[in-house]
Amino acid sequence: FYPSILILFVAIIGVLAMPGEGEALFSRLQTVIVDTASWFYVFVIALISMIVLVLAVSPYGAIKLGPDHAQPDYSFLSWFSMLFAAGIGIGLMFYGVAEPVMHFLSPPVGEGGTPEAAAEAIQLSYFHWGFNAWATYAVVAMVLAYFAYRHDLPLTLRSAFYPLIGDRIYGPLGASVDVFAIICTTCGISVSLGLGVLQINSGFNYLFGIPINSWVQVLLIFGTMALATVSVVMGLDAGIKRLSEINTVLAVLLLVLILLVGPTALLISGTLQNFGGYVASIIPRTLDLYVYEPSDWLGGWTIFYWGWWISWTPFVGVFVARISRGRTIREFLIGVTIVPTLFISLWMGVLGGSAIELITNQGATELGIAVQKNQAVGLFQFLEYLPGTEIFSLICLAMIVIFFVTSADSGAMVLNMLSANGVDDSPALQRSVWTLVIAVTASVL
């Protein structure tokens, strides 16, 4: 707890004291990583995806994450709702319209605005948010759940190293692993909450005329983090589980409504066709480093995403492991990778497909311009072209706030577990401290 807080505090003060130098430093670091280590990110993602597939179909898939007689702690709907809300929700609201439109107008290769670019845009969105992303979560969560529920080790990152260092996981070496995981998790969550609060601010501006500026965004962060604190104090079943289930219902409702008011047959056809293209091209896409057509696109999108997913694996891995006791490895891996990929494909196919159809066939060129100018307003600009705009906007704003809260409260719960040797029933004040840490970090950034 104390080393993690100290390192985060020093980092936050440093960035706050020298924002220009901090921005320049991180930009240089990111450029160096993209230029010299993109191949490593791609290799790791490919390796993880292969491990998940092999384990899911192998005899090891029959092993239970818990005693042989254990039954799952949560129903499938509750389990899926929680892992989806914690693992991806707020980013999907931010990028659901914006990413397909941006790939359509500025593809990695070729001319933008063409039918080929439209298909490529949807398939790239599936690629960035689909199987490969969830495989990184699944493999970490599976390892943690296996050692926690079959070998009674703490449900923290240090337990994954038990085969390598044995009982030294209980000493300084093991503690350093959890400190590193806490720092990664705090920074990774702050990225998503920063994107989320930009979108909440845009929604309030659209609906109620509230200005868009940093002070409003900081107030929104602390307001929503106050809700997250209440949820954390209430616990997993009473807080996080209920909010996740509410948002799953809202997400399905939103999808159905957009399908009904839009070109339904076209959207379903496009989603199916693009899903086929995504599945057929997943291996070459996964290994594509654009060696012979270099551009800044790879670092700004794919490598950025792989780094983002990896930074979230300690948080999502611990959380998904916490809610997955009693499932077999095969059931777990399929549930954590295939089911979210199918839902994401439908989501991106419907929202992104609708936005691209508006731009190409309905003359809504200003939608593309608005998205390229400010991704945070993309969703609300898109909703202006639908009947019942205010109703859609309120549903989306409610979903963004709830996704914000569920990401924050599940993140705070995991940070607390990492800093308390895997225990999640620590005092309420201790659990609340981490919502404050996340709020401060996101606000400074």
Side-chain angles (χ1 to χ4, degrees), residues 15-90:
V15 173
L16 192 60
M18 299 182 292
E21 292 84 348
E23 181 180 9
L25 173 63
F26 288 125
S27 296
R28 286 198 300 273
L29 283 173
Q30 185 169 347
T31 300
V32 169
I33 289 169
V34 169
D35 290 345
T36 62
S38 291
W39 66 270
F40 181 71
Y41 278 82
V42 166
F43 174 73
V44 167
I45 294 295
L47 182 64
I48 287 171
S49 300
M50 186 174 67
I51 289 171
V52 167
L53 286 171
V54 169
L55 283 176
V57 300
S58 74
Y60 294 111
I63 296 173
K64 275 202 172 181
L65 299 173
D68 291 336
H69 61 274
Q71 295 298 315
D73 290 343
Y74 298 97
S75 69
F76 183 80
L77 177 61
S78 297
W79 181 59
F80 172 71
S81 297
M82 285 190 285
L83 73 89
F84 190 78
I88 212 167
I90 200 166

Side-chain angles (χ1 to χ4, degrees), residues 20 34 36 40 61 223 258 266 269 274 277 315 330 365 369 397 401 445:
V34 169
T36 62
F40 181 71
I258 293 176
L266 176 66
S269 300
N274 287 314
F315 150 47
R330 182 174 297 111
T365 53
I369 295 169
L397 193 58
V401 171
L445 289 173

Side-chain angles (χ1 to χ4, degrees), residues 3-256:
S4 305
I5 290 291
L6 179 63
I7 292 170
L8 285 167
F9 181 75
V10 170
I12 289 169
I13 292 297
V15 173
L16 192 60
M18 299 182 292
E21 292 84 348
E23 181 180 9
L25 173 63
F26 288 125
S27 296
R28 286 198 300 273
L29 283 173
Q30 185 169 347
T31 300
V32 169
I33 289 169
V34 169
D35 290 345
T36 62
S38 291
W39 66 270
F40 181 71
Y41 278 82
V42 166
F43 174 73
V44 167
I45 294 295
L47 182 64
I48 287 171
S49 300
M50 186 174 67
I51 289 171
V52 167
L53 286 171
V54 169
L55 283 176
V57 300
S58 74
Y60 294 111
I63 296 173
K64 275 202 172 181
L65 299 173
D68 291 336
H69 61 274
Q71 295 298 315
D73 290 343
Y74 298 97
S75 69
F76 183 80
L77 177 61
S78 297
W79 181 59
F80 172 71
S81 297
M82 285 190 285
L83 73 89
F84 190 78
I88 212 167
I90 200 166
L92 208 57
M93 295 297 292
F94 189 91
Y95 284 110
V97 169
E99 180 166 348
V101 169
M102 293 186 74
H103 294 328
F104 170 61
L105 297 175
S106 301
V109 177
E111 184 182 352
T114 64
E116 293 77 17
E120 178 86 347
I122 301 296
Q123 291 172 31
L124 282 169
S125 302
Y126 292 173
F127 173 63
H128 287 149
W129 294 84
F131 178 81
N132 290 352
W134 286 91
T136 62
Y137 294 161
V139 78
V140 173
M142 178 193 64
V143 171
L144 298 179
Y146 176 80
F147 284 112
Y149 299 136
R150 294 207 56 103
H151 295 278
D152 295 322
L153 295 179
L155 187 52
T156 68
L157 265 292
R158 67 176 72 188
S159 297
F161 291 82
Y162 188 81
L164 300 177
I165 62 176
D167 288 338
R168 281 183 292 172
I169 65 167
Y170 298 108
L173 193 58
S176 67
V177 172
D178 285 341
V179 168
F180 186 71
I182 288 169
I183 294 166
C184 282
T185 297
T186 305
C187 294
I189 293 172
S190 297
V191 173
S192 287
L193 300 191
L195 295 175
V197 82
L198 293 176
Q199 203 170 29
I200 293 172
N201 196 177
S202 298
F204 277 119
N205 174 261
Y206 174 77
L207 291 170
F208 310 115
I210 294 174
I212 298 176
N213 61 55
S214 298
W215 291 110
V216 171
Q217 288 155 14
V218 169
L219 288 173
L220 287 170
I221 286 174
F222 278 91
T224 48
M225 291 306 286
L227 296 174
T229 302
V230 173
S231 178
V232 168
V233 171
M234 290 174 67
L236 182 61
D237 290 343
I240 299 171
K241 176 185 169 185
R242 292 285 175 258
L243 287 173
S244 300
E245 289 172 343
I246 290 170
N247 242 17
T248 299
V249 172
L250 288 176
V252 172
L253 175 64
L254 183 66
L255 270 178
V256 171

Side-chain angles (χ1 to χ4, degrees), residues 337-400:
T337 57
I338 303 301
V339 177
T341 298
L342 293 174
F343 185 84
I344 285 161
S345 298
L346 184 59
W347 182 272
M348 289 289 190
V350 172
L351 271 71
S354 295
I356 290 173
E357 196 273 337
L358 285 169
I359 294 170
T360 54
N361 297 328
Q362 308 296 327
T365 53
E366 61 273 15
L367 174 59
I369 295 169
V371 168
Q372 288 186 309
K373 185 178 179 181
N374 184 359
Q375 297 171 32
V377 302
L379 177 63
F380 295 100
Q381 289 278 354
F382 162 70
L383 296 176
E384 287 188 8
Y385 294 90
L386 304 181
T389 300
E390 289 77 11
I391 296 173
F392 279 115
S393 298
L394 285 171
I395 292 173
C396 287
L397 193 58
M399 289 177 63
I400 294 166

Side-chain angles (χ1 to χ4, degrees), residues 274-330:
N274 287 314
F275 184 75
Y278 159 65
V279 172
S281 64
I282 190 168
I283 293 177
R285 277 191 202 280
T286 299
L287 299 173
D288 193 352
L289 283 158
Y290 298 92
V291 173
Y292 303 108
E293 296 178 279
S295 72
D296 295 335
W297 185 93
L298 179 69
W301 286 102
T302 303
I303 303 304
F304 171 77
Y305 271 128
W306 295 163
W308 191 4
W309 300 137
I310 291 168
S311 76
W312 267 52
T313 54
F315 150 47
V316 180
V318 172
F319 182 77
V320 173
R322 170 66 181 81
I323 62 175
S324 299
R325 185 179 184 276
R327 298 189 183 276
T328 66
I329 287 178
R330 182 174 297 111

